[in-house]
Amino acid sequence: MYKVPLKDGVLDMENGTFIQIKNLKKYFIEEPDLLMKLVTKKKKRVVKAVDDISLDINKGETLGLVGESGCGKTTLGRTIVRLYEPTEGKIIFKGEDITEARGEKLKEYRKKAQIIFQNPYSSLNPRKTVRQILSVPLIASGVKDPHEREERIMYLLNRVGLNYRQMDSYPHEFSGGQRQRIGIARALAMSPEFIVADEPVSALDVSIQAQIINLLEELKEELNLTYLFIAHDLSVVYHVSDRVAVMYLGKIVEMGKTEDIFFNPLHPYTKALLSAIPSIDKSKRRERIILEGTVPSPVNPPKGCRFSTRCFVKKGKMCEEEEPELKEVEKGHFVACHLY
Amino acid sequence: MLEIRNLKVVFQTDRGVVKAVNGIDLSLERGKILGLVGESGSGKSMTLLSILRLVPYPGKIVEGEILFEGEDLLKKSASQMREIRGKDIAMIFQDPMTTLNPVFPVGEQIRESLRVHNIIKPEKEGILGFLRERDRRKKEYEKVVELMEKVGISYPEKRYFSYPHQFSGGMQQRAIIAIALSCNPKLLLADEPTTALDVTIQAQILDLLRQINEVNGTSIIFVTHDLAVAAEFCDEIAVMYAGQIVEKGPVDKVIEEPKHPYTKGLLRSIPKITRKKEKLYVIPGNVPDLAFLPPYGCPFYERCEEAVEECKEATIPLIEVSDGEFVRCIKYL
């Protein structure tokens, strides 16, 4: 297996970069079928869901990923855990390239990297009991002894705050928040080191949301986990993340420490996004920047800066023609904008 | 303008009688925005549906009065109700994708509402009646284009013939608002209109609704589970729990000085963007099963941190603590 050449021979495994994403691309190609090809002049469409993204996640941190629907944040999360095949680029997990991993190697990776899905109603098989749902990952990770498995399931349910007596219940017998707990237990079954949480709380009520967020934070402390936390709710992301990356149309437009992003946003899109958050505190309400229009289609994104069609501080020609690079403007604070 | 008195909606189910709405009193003045806030299952959507008498089977309105401009809607006949729905009282539903009919062009769906309520009157029928129909259609088309422009759909002439799937979520919600506005309603019922949308689109839609409220003087009842949205958008807020209103009053009072322990808990459990990060507050326990609510006592008793022995027994009325501010808690009795 290909090993990453280390920069200056250093890659601190304990505290250093845990996951490295390099120029990752995920394109979905939609080809018209033969009949459509003959009858109409339909061409194939390429949806650039994730377009050239590079980022690092350090051991033990939570990286928040925010953006509007359709910006590719879920695709990025799923590509990182290899649920989607990346079109281009590299995913390096603990110094090992797993972009092309197959068979045993991939299985090993999946033991370490798990995902919690957004919708607790559709991510659990309604025909299987909780015991069956939780057994699958345990069997896959090699727990063959049924008694040991049962003990593990009991421990897992207990850990996520469910009663082990409900082991033989079906998903429909649980409320939304409880189902999400089952989803979390399933992800924990493999004893992973890295978890992609794909909008784990957006389908839940406020009071339940707080329970699940607290649970995720406790688990992180206890099991020394690393999260990629995807959400569109900015206040939730603020609460859980150490660093935040803001995505727009398949690209990262700004990335940095949570405090920097929220209190000193640089990219106009981040500013608009933050100003749109409703707040219960009157004094906190910022002047609202209302963005015109909607996110352009990722099939043919705008030339130059992708945000240029909605930008309110556009510099002119340059923004429409040249694509800005992600640059480090302050320490650890990256922005992709021609203004900086 | 609208007054709801002691409204009760029950669902007869296999598990027993579910009291979805359990004695609600609300009133709304012309030109005001009222926010109904609560978690799922608290009865806020049912309250809204009962105003239009659209409570789904096996639900039933068993008690109460809904006075709209002095007339009780619950006493109206089915055909009278049909005239009110969409014309005097319009509704916007939560999920724009499922509200629009996928097999008709969006413009036609807006036109339907104009046609049903006879907004553009046909001229007298004659031998050339069919020509007049064409004329009427043209006028309706023009009105629809005007409406679409008003709610911010660009290229309305082209978009008139688009199908719902060709619209984005925000645009679909705009089209639905155009349907709701087509007859210039006096009251707009909005059931979580922005829940399915992104923050930036949510800001656009709220801005549009506020404009409608200011320009047309339309009253709005706004149902949401997001307290922050309600705090910014509404004039008054009513917090619902287990089919009852636990606190209502002007928005500043409810948000800044919440009185009911449930409102306090809800406000504390929202993640906030402040310099200091702390663990989120969690209201202990779960929402009670409405089929097994005890007949007396406070439904929030088991989860309440400030509960006393009497809470279990007493039936607590909505108490006026200050001008226009009501709380259902024994501490203020």
Side-chain angles (χ1 to χ4, degrees):
Chain A
M1 193 40 97
Y2 168 86
K3 282 258 179 188
V4 193
L6 305 180
K7 253 185 205 161
D8 307 322
V10 189
L11 191 82
D12 189 357
M13 293 305 297
E14 278 309 305
N15 308 307
T17 314
F18 187 56
I19 291 188
Q20 239 180 330
I21 312 292
K22 278 189 182 165
N23 305 84
L24 192 71
K25 289 181 186 170
K26 174 67 199 170
Y27 294 172
F28 292 100
I29 296 162
E30 187 192 13
E31 266 196 271
D33 52 34
L34 192 62
L35 185 71
M36 287 304 274
K37 244 187 230 167
L38 294 174
V39 178
T40 61
K41 276 191 183 145
K42 236 182 177 176
K43 280 185 193 137
K44 78 172 181 192
R45 302 193 322 154
V46 181
V47 179
K48 296 177 180 172
V50 171
D51 202 6
D52 202 356
I53 281 187
S54 303
L55 56 85
D56 298 340
I57 304 173
N58 300 323
K59 175 97 186 141
E61 80 168 348
T62 302
L63 178 70
L65 192 60
V66 289
E68 290 176 271
S69 40
C71 72
K73 50 190 195 307
T74 296
T75 310
L76 178 62
R78 292 190 171 195
T79 314
I80 292 176
V81 290
R82 286 284 309 274
L83 282 177
Y84 289 147
E85 291 299 311
T87 311
E88 237 177 79
K90 281 205 161 54
I91 305 163
I92 295 152
F93 181 73
K94 287 168 93 179
E96 228 167 312
D97 185 354
I98 55 94
T99 327
E100 306 270 308
R102 293 267 175 279
E104 276 303 308
K105 193 96 196 160
L106 184 61
K107 224 171 156 184
E108 277 306 306
Y109 174 58
R110 287 201 170 139
K111 271 184 205 168
K112 288 176 197 146
Q114 283 285 308
I115 183 165
I116 300 166
F117 293 98
Q118 172 173 12
N119 191 336
Y121 294 89
S122 58
S123 62
L124 299 175
N125 188 339
R127 287 161 171 270
K128 297 218 158 126
T129 62
V130 175
R131 184 200 296 268
Q132 288 170 312
I133 289 170
L134 294 182
S135 291
V136 177
L138 288 175
I139 293 168
S141 62
V143 186
K144 295 220 169 65
D145 179 32
H147 294 291
E148 198 188 329
R149 222 155 49 213
E150 180 140 344
E151 250 164 53
R152 276 287 289 166
I153 293 175
M154 267 152 89
Y155 162 76
L156 283 169
L157 286 180
N158 191 23
R159 189 61 212 84
V160 297
L162 290 171
N163 194 332
Y164 66 87
R165 288 199 200 92
Q166 289 171 296
M167 210 192 292
D168 292 306
S169 308
Y170 289 91
H172 76 265
E173 294 170 63
F174 294 91
S175 67
Q178 287 175 320
R179 284 181 210 213
Q180 201 54 290
R181 287 171 194 268
I182 299 171
I184 294 170
R186 177 173 61 184
L188 290 179
M190 290 279 204
S191 325
E193 293 170 38
F194 173 61
I195 290 182
V196 173
D198 185 6
E199 308 233 15
V201 296
S202 57
L204 307 173
D205 270 320
V206 217
S207 67
I208 313 294
Q209 187 176 307
Q211 291 175 7
I212 299 293
I213 291 174
N214 283 348
L215 174 66
L216 286 171
E217 300 235 284
E218 278 166 33
L219 291 171
K220 183 187 161 188
E221 287 281 303
E222 206 181 296
L223 307 169
N224 197 16
L225 295 170
T226 305
Y227 287 138
L228 175 67
F229 194 94
I230 303 171
H232 66 261
D233 187 334
L234 288 143
S235 31
V236 170
V237 168
Y238 175 78
H239 198 84
V240 299
S241 311
D242 301 309
R243 284 195 305 140
V244 174
V246 184
M247 265 184 95
Y248 185 76
L249 223 59
K251 282 211 177 276
I252 289 181
V253 294
E254 188 164 0
M255 183 161 66
K257 284 206 199 77
T258 308
E259 280 75 19
D260 287 346
I261 298 281
F262 277 83
F263 299 111
N264 181 24
L266 295 177
H267 197 280
Y269 178 63
T270 317
K271 285 181 187 164
L273 208 57
L274 288 173
S275 84
I277 313 173
S279 165
I280 48 173
D281 193 346
K282 250 193 193 165
S283 60
K284 289 272 163 49
R285 284 176 208 163
R286 308 157 200 240
E287 203 176 312
R288 185 138 301 168
I289 305 163
I290 290 185
L291 287 181
E292 306 263 314
T294 48
V295 186
S297 152
V299 177
N300 35 26
K303 243 188 175 176
C305 173
R306 301 194 169 191
F307 187 58
S308 61
T309 52
R310 297 170 83 194
C311 191
F312 48 92
V313 285
K314 204 160 55 175
K315 275 210 299 196
K317 267 247 149 91
M318 192 181 173
C319 291
E320 278 161 32
E321 278 161 12
E322 241 179 275
E323 195 156 341
E325 265 175 65
L326 198 64
K327 278 177 290 200
E328 189 165 10
V329 279
E330 290 161 24
K331 198 176 175 298
H333 193 161
F334 298 83
V335 187
C337 180
H338 285 308
L339 286 174
Y340 302 95
Chain B
M1 173 186 183
L2 181 83
E3 210 174 331
I4 300 176
R5 284 189 201 146
N6 196 25
L7 180 73
K8 284 187 182 170
V9 178
V10 300
F11 281 75
Q12 205 81 39
T13 65
D14 299 341
R15 289 163 53 242
V17 179
V18 176
K19 290 176 186 152
V21 179
N22 196 2
I24 276 196
D25 295 283
L26 273 180
S27 63
L28 177 67
E29 282 166 46
R30 184 173 295 278
K32 282 274 160 63
I33 304 177
L34 169 72
L36 268 185
V37 189
E39 294 177 82
S40 30
S42 61
K44 50 195 194 321
S45 293
M46 274 311 137
T47 310
L48 219 54
L49 288 174
S50 13
I51 297 174
L52 286 175
R53 291 209 0 231
L54 288 174
V55 177
Y57 181 82
K60 233 170 136 187
I61 302 171
V62 286
E63 223 183 298
E65 281 178 327
I66 298 174
L67 300 173
F68 178 68
E69 304 200 302
E71 284 175 68
D72 191 351
L73 293 179
L74 299 181
K75 294 207 176 81
K76 299 256 183 217
S77 69
S79 67
Q80 278 173 322
M81 267 323 286
R82 235 180 351 255
E83 251 166 58
I84 290 170
R85 283 183 204 130
K87 193 171 182 190
D88 294 323
I89 307 175
M91 183 147 177
I92 303 167
F93 292 90
Q94 176 171 4
D95 188 0
M97 320 268 180
T98 48
T99 308
L100 291 169
N101 189 332
V103 297
F104 289 106
V106 172
E108 286 293 306
Q109 296 186 48
I110 304 173
R111 195 177 70 84
E112 183 191 359
S113 153
L114 294 173
R115 179 53 68 94
V116 168
H117 291 293
N118 253 327
I119 296 299
I120 287 154
K121 298 259 175 341
E123 287 167 46
K124 266 193 200 123
E125 291 287 328
I127 310 162
L128 295 174
F130 67 97
L131 282 180
R132 300 212 170 86
E133 164 62 22
R134 203 171 63 181
D135 206 41
R136 187 185 178 196
R137 230 168 226 263
K138 199 166 164 247
K139 277 187 197 155
E140 280 170 348
Y141 167 79
E142 279 158 11
K143 172 94 184 173
V144 170
V145 168
E146 193 192 308
L147 276 168
M148 287 170 87
E149 212 155 35
K150 200 163 129 194
V151 295
I153 298 175
S154 43
Y155 312 111
E157 290 91 351
K158 214 174 114 200
R159 294 301 223 158
Y160 183 98
F161 301 101
S162 301
Y163 287 86
H165 74 269
Q166 294 167 308
F167 276 47
S168 64
M171 280 297 148
Q172 288 175 345
Q173 200 58 292
R174 281 171 197 269
I176 290 163
I177 293 173
I179 297 176
L181 289 185
S182 62
C183 304
N184 232 332
K186 293 169 190 143
L187 174 62
L188 195 60
L189 308 177
D191 188 2
E192 310 232 9
T194 58
T195 306
L197 307 172
D198 281 313
V199 260
T200 57
I201 309 298
Q202 167 172 288
Q204 289 175 358
I205 297 290
L206 289 180
D207 198 46
L208 174 65
L209 287 174
R210 195 175 286 119
Q211 264 177 41
I212 292 161
N213 170 259
E214 276 165 16
V215 176
N216 303 4
T218 315
S219 312
I220 300 176
I221 300 186
F222 190 86
V223 165
T224 178
H225 67 264
D226 191 338
L227 268 167
V229 172
E232 288 205 358
F233 185 68
C234 304
D235 300 315
E236 273 178 58
I237 286 189
V239 183
M240 286 188 73
Y241 185 76
Q244 289 183 329
I245 289 175
V246 294
E247 182 162 2
K248 73 174 174 188
V251 82
D252 294 343
K253 283 206 168 154
V254 176
I255 297 293
E256 269 152 42
E257 308 155 27
K259 301 249 169 5
H260 198 280
Y262 178 64
T263 321
K264 285 184 204 166
L266 269 187
L267 283 167
R268 274 173 70 193
S269 60
I270 302 174
K272 285 169 208 74
I273 300 173
T274 48
R275 293 263 172 194
K276 215 172 119 217
K277 280 192 201 174
E278 359 180 274
K279 207 165 174 199
L280 283 178
Y281 173 75
V282 172
I283 304 174
N286 282 311
V287 182
D289 190 334
L290 290 177
F292 303 111
L293 269 186
Y296 42 76
C298 176
F300 190 59
Y301 169 71
E302 300 215 318
R303 305 175 69 189
C304 186
E305 283 181 349
E306 303 169 31
V308 288
E309 225 10 76
E310 290 92 77
C311 294
K312 218 155 81 182
E313 309 281 312
T315 302
I316 307 146
L318 211 53
I319 308 146
E320 184 159 13
V321 281
S322 65
D323 192 30
E325 198 188 4
F326 297 83
V327 182
R328 195 187 290 272
C329 181
I330 205 159
K331 285 197 303 177
Y332 298 92
L333 203 61

